[in-house]
Amino acid sequence: MIQIITNKIIISEGTIYPLLRRLVKENYLESYYKPSKEGPSRKYYSITVKGNKRLHELIKEWE
């Protein structure tokens, strides 16, 4: 995820993870773990209904 984001904008890992935690806390994202074949379980994020609604509000505002 960080590689994809940093291809678009300059941002550090130290900035991304606090933002993700905040979005989870505000119920815009939810997080879950999945087992990995290459080590410990990995954490994944998915957008919630509330997050999707907010995303569309922000896109509309931006336009």
Side-chain angles (χ1 to χ4, degrees):
M1 180 172 60
I2 291 172
Q3 291 172 346
I4 294 168
I5 293 170
T6 55
N7 285 336
K8 306 291 181 191
I9 60 173
I10 299 171
I11 192 167
S12 71
E13 286 184 40
T15 302
I16 292 172
Y17 290 109
L19 289 172
L20 288 170
R21 281 193 296 274
R22 184 175 134 208
L23 291 170
V24 168
K25 184 177 179 182
E26 294 176 0
N27 297 313
Y28 293 125
L29 294 178
E30 58 187 14
S31 64
Y32 56 95
Y33 288 91
K34 275 190 166 182
S36 172
K37 295 177 184 176
E38 303 160 359
S41 296
R42 293 180 183 241
K43 192 172 195 177
Y44 291 86
Y45 296 89
S46 63
I47 193 164
T48 63
V49 171
K50 181 180 177 182
N52 231 334
K53 182 179 177 186
R54 182 66 179 138
L55 173 62
H56 290 290
E57 289 170 355
L58 291 169
I59 290 170
K60 190 174 181 179
E61 188 178 307
W62 180 261
E63 292 173 344

